[in-house]
Every structure is written in structure tokens, then in C-alpha cells.
Amino acid sequence: MHYDVIIVGGGAAGFFTAINISERHSKLRIAIVERGKEVLSKVRISGGGRCNVTHACFDPRELVQFYPRGAKELLGPFHQFCCGDTIAWFEKYGVELKIEEDGRMFPITDSSQTIIDCFLQATAKFKIDVLQGVSVQGVYQSDNGWKLDTTKENMTCTELVFTTGSNPKIGELMRDLGHRLVEPVPSLFTFNIKDKRIKDLMGVSTAAHIKVKGTKLEATGPLLITHWGMSGPGILRLSAWGARILAEKKYQFHILVNWLPQFEKEELFDVLKELKQEHAKKIVLKRGLFDFPMRLWERLVVAAGISETITWADLTNKQMQALIMQLQEGDYQVNGKSTFKEEFVTAGGIDLRDVNFKTMESKVCSHLYFAGEILNIDAITGGFNFQNAWTTGFLAAQAIASKF
């Protein structure tokens, strides 16, 4: 079977690339080839099933700061297709997006099915073939274009696009074609921590500053205690920026948690002294700070060596310093990580030096393009990984369409 364009990978980048090519050349024969039984599976579960489409960050120079890998390379592309263009593109297809307080953007329906339906309706409209359960086994370039050996049939095409994410098999095929590969490691993951200070506190969440001991890695953001340890935007941000360093440590390391990053040490000491005066007769364990989570406060008070009967009046300066240590420099041992399998994001992929970021075409093989997470590009949570998919897919589509 011959096509003008074959896109390998039935995810966000693959569909977006195919549709954008068809918008410019509706008569081209285009196929999306997906090895799984379902397409757009990551779109379906993204954002807890709501699909975090993009982020309300409209300045490319600000936007690139959310990408631990790929920031420099994406600056130019973001000037061509940025978050505002994403909003306009989906509006054109009848999908309205809304902005949440933290800047994340979702369809107003709060359902990822809205995005899936948008893509499936567009591929049907443009008569794009969506081939599921078809795995690519070999890729060969000839004078006439490309030949693909698959588990179903052999296919040929003039222009070829890979949007397969971190598929190891495809990575090997790209290496065989002469591309350099940066070995993939997990990028967004939570920390496995067994510590009596947080045991059975799942669901407790508060703003925190987290630092990986012995490194320069640090991040600030909401921290969520889970049954396996710690999660939340602050932890995920740290895991993204520290993906390679933490992989080298085999996910065995210590973190220092500042549960009250809004206070300097001296300032916090003064706050505790005020509490000592105002609540002299009250038990320290039962009278915490402002809106600080009470269950966590109780654990940290005990960890500071303050007994359950001590009142604020009886609290010594030494005990206050011990409490400040627990509140602002708590040392927690991390033993491993947990990843959300369906939302798996990796650092690694096609070496960015092998790609022309004006067209997303390979510098190694002509008529071969890349978009999305197959590239050594990844971002923190918040819609940024999808924006990479939309932008790189758009540029690849533009370049391919110009050849026909």
C-alpha cells in the first residue's frame, strides 16, 4: 500500500500532524499507523481524564523555561506556533478551552473525550486512514521514498513522520538509520518514602520547598503526601529537572523539605515565640500554625521530641529550634520512584542536534520527520508536553505540505 505520507504513532503529535497536513492538501493519501489497539490513549488519561491541552503562557521566552530539555531548540518553533495558536486551532474545530487558576487549560467539558472526538472527526473528514494494531518492524529509504515492514503488510510512502514517544524498538530503528539517541530515563515521577512522619497521612497537601541533598536540584510547589510517599507539582517538577541526576543515583537519595517556605528561619522563630505568649496554656501538639495541616503538624511536633503534654509556655528555645528543623529542614530518605504508567514521560530520545527545528526534518535522512516525545524534549506538568506535540507537529505538517 502506498501513501503520500505515513505517520507512525497514533498519539497527540501524530493526529495533529496528519490533520494539519490535510488542512493544506486535502487530497493527499495519509495514514496514521498505531501499534496499539487504541489511539490517543495518553490523551484519554491526561489531566485525570480531563486532558490538560496547553498552558496559558503566551510569551515563547517564558514558555521555554518550563522545559528541562529542549528549551533552546523550541524558542524558534514557539514563535511559529504557540499556546495562543493552539487555543485558536481547537476553537476552529468547535472545542473551547478554559483557563484554570494555575494556568492549565482544559476543554470546557472537562473531558478528554472532547479532544479525542475532535481528532477522530477531523481524520474522518479528511479521509485519513487510521490503522490500529500495526507494528513497524523495519524502515528502509530508497530513491522513491520510504518502505515500512509491518506486522500486517508492507507499506511505502514519500514522506515519513515518527511520533512514537519513547518506544525502544523505534529508537533502535532510528539509530540504525544513523541518528544519535539520548537514552530515555523517566522524567515525571513521584518519590517512594517510608517515614513515620508521613505514614497514613495520604491526601495531606501543602506548599513546600524541596531540595535534593548534595545537589543543586530544588523546586517549590504543592506537595501531596500519598500512601507510597510524596507527589504533587513540587515533587514532579523536581523529578523533571533532575531526571538524569536521579537516574544516576538509582533513585536512592535524601530530600530536605521546607514545609513553610514563606518564612525565613529567624522569622519563624519569632512566630513561634508569639504563639508561646498567646497560647501559653494550650498544648503544642494541639495548637498549630495558621492553616498548616494539623495532622502533619502533630507528626512534626512529635518528631522534634516534644511530648504530647507540653504546653506552649513550657516549650524551651532548644525545643523550638528542633521544631523549626522539622518544619524547614526535614530530611527524608527516598527509596525508588513511582510512575503513572499511562502518563509516562521520559527524558531522552532523538538527539536534538540531528533535527532541523525550522521543519522538524531529520538532518540525517531526507523526507523523514519527528514530532512530540520521540525527541529529547520534555517538560514539567501543566500542559507543556502537549504544547511540544502541537508545535512540532504543526511545523512538520507545514514542511511536508510545502513539498506537494
Side-chain angles (χ1 to χ4, degrees):
M1 180 72 76
H2 181 78
Y3 289 92
D4 296 306
V5 186
I6 291 177
I7 295 158
V8 183
F15 271 79
F16 200 74
T17 304
I19 295 164
N20 275 276
I21 296 170
S22 288
E23 284 180 348
R24 290 160 180 77
H25 275 293
S26 60
K27 291 196 165 64
L28 290 180
R29 291 207 65 197
I30 300 173
I32 297 171
V33 177
E34 167 58 42
R35 66 171 177 161
K37 292 178 182 177
E38 285 188 13
V39 293
L40 301 164
S41 55
K42 284 180 79 170
V43 171
R44 185 178 299 284
I45 52 81
S46 158
R50 296 196 297 146
C51 189
N52 186 183
V53 176
T54 187
H55 202 93
C57 180
F58 304 107
D59 183 341
R61 290 165 300 180
E62 288 181 22
L63 186 58
V64 294
Q65 293 174 22
F66 296 98
Y67 294 81
R69 283 148 291 273
K72 182 180 65 156
E73 290 80 6
L74 284 174
L75 184 58
F78 282 155
H79 276 93
Q80 300 302 311
F81 192 91
C82 204
C83 304
D85 301 298
T86 298
I87 297 165
W89 191 93
F90 279 102
E91 277 183 357
K92 179 176 67 179
Y93 282 91
V95 177
E96 191 178 341
L97 304 179
K98 62 176 180 176
I99 304 173
E100 301 208 334
E101 280 186 20
D102 58 4
R104 292 181 301 160
M105 298 197 69
F106 296 88
I108 57 168
T109 59
D110 273 330
S111 172
S112 58
Q113 192 62 46
T114 302
I115 306 301
I116 293 169
D117 290 344
C118 167
F119 285 154
L120 293 179
Q121 287 162 13
T123 51
K125 171 190 167 185
F126 289 117
K127 295 182 170 57
I128 296 165
D129 287 347
V130 179
L131 310 176
Q132 291 156 246
V134 178
S135 177
V136 174
Q137 304 296 301
V139 183
Y140 313 96
Q141 189 170 26
S142 67
D143 293 339
N144 300 321
W146 291 93
K147 178 189 171 193
L148 273 67
D149 290 345
T150 80
T151 48
K152 293 285 176 74
E153 61 178 325
N154 290 339
M155 306 170 72
T156 58
C157 63
T158 308
E159 307 294 327
L160 179 60
V161 189
F162 278 90
T163 61
T164 49
S166 58
N167 183 326
K169 171 70 175 172
I170 298 299
E172 284 306 310
L173 293 177
M174 294 304 100
R175 186 179 270 135
D176 291 343
L177 288 172
H179 295 91
R180 290 169 285 189
L181 244 69
V182 179
E183 287 302 316
V185 298
S187 175
L188 291 174
F189 50 87
T190 61
F191 296 170
N192 293 350
I193 300 171
K194 286 187 177 178
D195 191 294
K196 60 185 179 182
R197 287 170 290 181
I198 61 170
K199 187 181 178 185
D200 299 328
L201 294 187
M202 57 279 283
V204 170
S205 178
T206 187
H209 179 84
I210 314 109
K211 179 173 170 46
V212 176
K213 206 170 174 181
T215 74
K216 292 181 180 178
L217 289 172
E218 54 187 301
T220 300
L223 187 156
L224 173 68
I225 297 173
T226 68
H227 68 272
W228 62 83
M230 293 182 186
S231 184
I235 294 289
L236 293 174
R237 193 170 293 142
L238 194 64
S239 76
W241 287 101
R244 297 226 160 261
I245 293 170
L246 302 182
E248 288 168 9
K249 291 180 175 291
K250 296 183 169 49
Y251 309 105
Q252 304 289 322
F253 53 93
H254 286 254
I255 57 171
L256 296 175
V257 179
N258 181 353
W259 300 101
L260 292 166
Q262 66 270 39
F263 293 110
E264 294 294 331
K265 259 188 187 174
E266 295 78 9
E267 191 183 359
L268 182 55
F269 188 77
D270 290 339
V271 168
L272 293 181
K273 282 204 297 187
E274 284 178 21
L275 281 170
K276 188 176 164 69
Q277 290 176 344
E278 291 174 22
H279 304 286
K281 294 181 180 179
K282 292 184 179 174
I283 293 172
V284 175
L285 194 73
K286 298 300 178 187
R287 180 63 182 84
L289 283 165
F290 320 116
D291 56 356
F292 191 77
M294 199 59 205
R295 288 193 295 158
L296 180 58
W297 169 264
E298 290 170 358
R299 292 291 180 83
L300 297 181
V301 167
V302 171
I306 299 166
S307 78
E308 298 179 11
T309 57
I310 286 185
T311 63
W312 278 101
D314 295 330
L315 203 63
T316 66
N317 279 357
K318 188 176 179 181
Q319 286 172 321
M320 279 203 287
Q321 293 293 356
L323 182 55
I324 289 171
M325 282 292 289
Q326 288 296 330
L327 289 166
Q328 294 197 308
E329 291 184 52
D331 189 321
Y332 296 82
Q333 184 174 349
V334 178
N335 287 306
K337 59 175 174 49
S338 293
T339 52
F340 307 106
K341 198 170 183 184
E342 296 87 351
E343 293 194 67
F344 195 56
V345 174
T346 57
I350 301 293
D351 194 308
L352 304 186
R353 294 172 294 176
D354 289 349
V355 181
N356 177 348
F357 273 82
K358 289 181 179 176
T359 61
M360 302 317 298
E361 188 170 11
S362 165
K363 291 179 181 178
V364 178
C365 303
S366 58
H367 307 284
L368 174 64
Y369 299 80
F370 303 108
E373 287 181 33
I374 189 173
L375 298 157
N376 182 29
I377 294 174
D378 63 284
I380 65 171
T381 55
F384 304 105
N385 284 298
F386 273 139
Q387 187 57 49
N388 167 45
W390 315 140
T391 296
T392 53
F394 175 84
L395 289 182
Q398 268 198 320
I400 290 166
S402 70
K403 292 188 174 181
F404 291 94

